Amino acid sequence: KAGVTQTPRYLIKTRGQQVTLSCSPISGHRSVSWYQQTPGQGLQFLFEYFSETQRNKGNFPGRFSGRQFSNSRSEMNVSTLELGDSALYLCASSPDLSRGGELFFGEGSRLTVL
Amino acid sequence: QKEVEQNSGPLSVPEGAIASLNCTYSDRGSQSFFWYRQYSGKSPELIMFIYSNGDKEDGRFTAQLNKASQYVSLLIRDSQPSDSATYLCAVKRGNNRLAFGKGNQVVVIP
């Protein structure tokens, strides 16, 4: 079974730009979560989607948004990039909401904002 | 108070010894508890989960949960060099959000 696939793996942007990251969950997994990982803050929850609906949202500004498609694939978008948005963005899938802590992570998208 | 705290610094253990990691959490409504392992440059992978008070064993790993004291621990028996990694404690809070601790680095010395 293929794992969680994230694209792109690495990207460099400048302040003020926007970025879209993509995530394909494990086949059959309907829940997708996004996390930001930085050395200082660790893993921080961004949002969780299930059946194309956002079920939960972390404490991030409105510049961070996401969506999920009918095939469970998900995208997240960050607009008006700031230097502090430089981080590893991890997508994780789980079979359903009841097992929402049993996450399978992708390799991540490493974003550098200059 | 942080949602999930892992206070210990890097833990060095000799090969074959027991590594003990602790984690405390603030939300008494938390129901589910998880341990993830993250190798350097890699993404986290789930190694244990525990939902009820007491111990849960899986191979060389044992998770221990005490909801009254709000802590969860992970024991790694017969530590191997391949266990050298950062271990992340995660707690599913009452609001269904999963909160992670900042992790504990374990170094197993051959």
Side-chain angles (χ1 to χ4, degrees):
Chain A
K1 207 179 221 185
V4 177
T5 304
Q6 290 189 247
T7 56
R9 291 290 313 278
Y10 303 91
L11 62 167
I12 299 174
K13 294 285 186 179
T14 57
R15 280 180 297 176
Q17 288 187 309
Q18 75 167 16
V19 65
T20 299
L21 309 178
S22 181
C23 171
S24 293
I26 291 172
S27 178
H29 284 196
R30 299 168 61 193
S31 176
V32 173
S33 303
W34 288 89
Y35 290 84
Q36 181 196 66
Q37 188 172 36
T38 59
Q41 298 299 319
L43 267 168
Q44 293 189 285
F45 171 73
L46 281 158
F47 15 69
E48 179 182 30
Y49 288 89
F50 182 82
S51 293
E52 301 178 66
T53 302
Q54 187 179 91
R55 300 293 175 147
N56 226 323
K57 188 177 190 305
N59 299 322
F60 279 81
R63 300 185 297 107
F64 292 81
S65 62
R67 59 178 175 169
Q68 186 181 34
F69 302 97
S70 58
N71 61 358
S72 294
R73 191 177 68 85
S74 178
E75 289 181 347
M76 67 162 283
N77 185 77
V78 188
S79 62
T80 319
L81 284 166
E82 300 177 358
L83 294 179
D85 297 332
S86 294
L88 179 66
Y89 290 87
L90 289 162
C91 170
S93 73
S94 63
D96 53 56
L97 286 177
S98 66
R99 296 168 61 186
E102 300 172 36
L103 301 176
F104 295 82
F105 283 90
E107 290 300 313
S109 294
R110 184 165 296 280
L111 171 66
T112 301
V113 182
L114 301 176
Chain B
Q1 186 180 8
K2 295 178 183 175
E3 294 179 286
V4 181
E5 288 205 58
Q6 295 179 257
N7 283 332
S8 303
L11 179 65
S12 292
V13 296
E15 185 173 354
I18 295 175
S20 178
L21 303 171
N22 295 313
C23 167
T24 58
Y25 58 95
S26 60
D27 184 356
R28 282 196 172 274
S30 301
Q31 295 296 320
S32 313
F33 308 86
F34 307 85
W35 284 98
Y36 285 81
R37 176 177 62 198
Q38 187 172 24
Y39 292 114
S40 180
K42 298 293 186 181
S43 56
E45 59 176 323
L46 179 66
I47 54 172
M48 289 285 291
F49 58 87
I50 185 167
Y51 298 148
S52 304
N53 274 331
D55 296 359
K56 178 181 179 182
E57 189 174 312
D58 184 0
R60 297 185 295 109
F61 297 100
T62 299
Q64 299 173 316
L65 174 61
N66 184 324
K67 288 186 178 180
S69 300
Q70 294 177 245
Y71 83 78
V72 57
S73 62
L74 179 71
L75 300 178
I76 307 173
R77 292 184 302 281
D78 186 24
S79 295
Q80 302 297 309
S82 60
D83 295 326
S84 296
T86 296
Y87 290 81
L88 301 165
C89 173
V91 175
K92 188 133 190 173
R93 300 180 55 203
N95 61 6
N96 274 327
R97 292 184 192 177
L98 190 65
F100 281 83
K102 291 192 176 181
N104 283 127
Q105 185 182 8
V106 172
V107 178
V108 180
I109 303 167

